[in-house]
Amino acid sequence: MITENEIIIGDEKFIPFITEEQIQKRVKELGEQISNDYKGKLPIFIGVLNGSFIFLADLIKNVNIHCEIDFFKLSSYGDSKISSGNVRMLKELNADISERHIIIVEDIVDTGLSLNYINQLLGKFKPASIKYASLLVKPESLKFDLKIDYIGFEILNKFVIGYGLDYAQKYRNLRSIYVLSQ
Ligand code: 5GP
């Protein structure tokens, strides 16, 4: 059941957490910051599928310099709410990123396992620079020493859905973010 005030999935209840207005305001700020930082350059935004596609779409609409996009896909969670600790590559990049300025776009950084894997993998292609953007970061869960350059919101270590983030592949289409209520 989906209502404005709560989402019930089995015996779990999700309640409103970050509104559509708050998300759009912050994404606009990040887009402006990136536009300034990359003036005179042609960055490639690289979205990590599936979760980042809505954030990436909204982000680049707020970027006012030329840019390119590409995507790749990793698997670590499956349909579970807890990281399996393993990362597998399911779809590779198409773009040649050597000598290019790349901005990796994630929906959420939890343990940092995925981003750490991406960092090692993409570094091998010798890009001119690598920066990271994530709509959400859970600082308390981070297990790797990672610098995330563009952060939408830092949140507590709770499971969230909506705005690209799924629950067993569903609920990505919610316009705002909901959190699991204990
Ligand atoms: P990490 O490798 O940083 O532990 O996890 C990154 C991935 O785990 C994210 O891209 C996302 O797919 C998934 N993830 C982590 N936390 C959450 C959460 O609270 N909600 C959802 N829906 N996915 C999450």
Side-chain angles (χ1 to χ4, degrees), residues 59-102:
L59 184 63
I60 64 165
K61 282 189 270 179
N62 288 287
V63 165
N64 63 14
I65 55 167
H66 287 301
C67 61
E68 298 176 12
I69 60 157
D70 199 355
F71 290 95
F72 70 102
K73 185 164 181 169
L74 300 177
S75 160
S76 73
Y77 274 34
D79 280 346
S80 148
K81 288 210 279 300
I82 300 161
S83 174
S84 65
N86 295 314
V87 182
R88 280 186 303 133
M89 174 74 83
L90 298 179
K91 179 207 171 293
E92 296 194 12
L93 279 181
N94 294 327
D96 177 1
I97 57 166
S98 68
E99 305 299 320
R100 299 294 307 270
H101 295 286
I102 61 174

Side-chain angles (χ1 to χ4, degrees), residues 48 51 76-77 83 87 106-115 138 155 158-161 165-167:
V48 185
S76 73
Y77 274 34
S83 174
V87 182
E106 270 271 26
D107 50 355
I108 187 163
V109 177
D110 182 4
T111 62
L113 179 77
S114 314
L115 216 53
K138 297 180 186 171
I155 64 167
K158 292 190 172 175
F159 190 76
V160 291
I161 58 171
L165 290 146
D166 72 313
Y167 184 109

Side-chain angles (χ1 to χ4, degrees), residues 48-55 106-107 163-166 172:
V48 185
L49 291 172
N50 291 331
S52 71
F53 77 108
I54 293 182
F55 173 45
E106 270 271 26
D107 50 355
Y163 195 71
L165 290 146
D166 72 313
R172 295 190 196 275

Side-chain angles (χ1 to χ4, degrees), residues 2-7 14-16 176 178:
I2 302 180
T3 70
E4 287 236 326
N5 295 321
E6 59 182 33
I7 296 170
F14 287 80
I15 54 174
S176 58
Y178 290 71

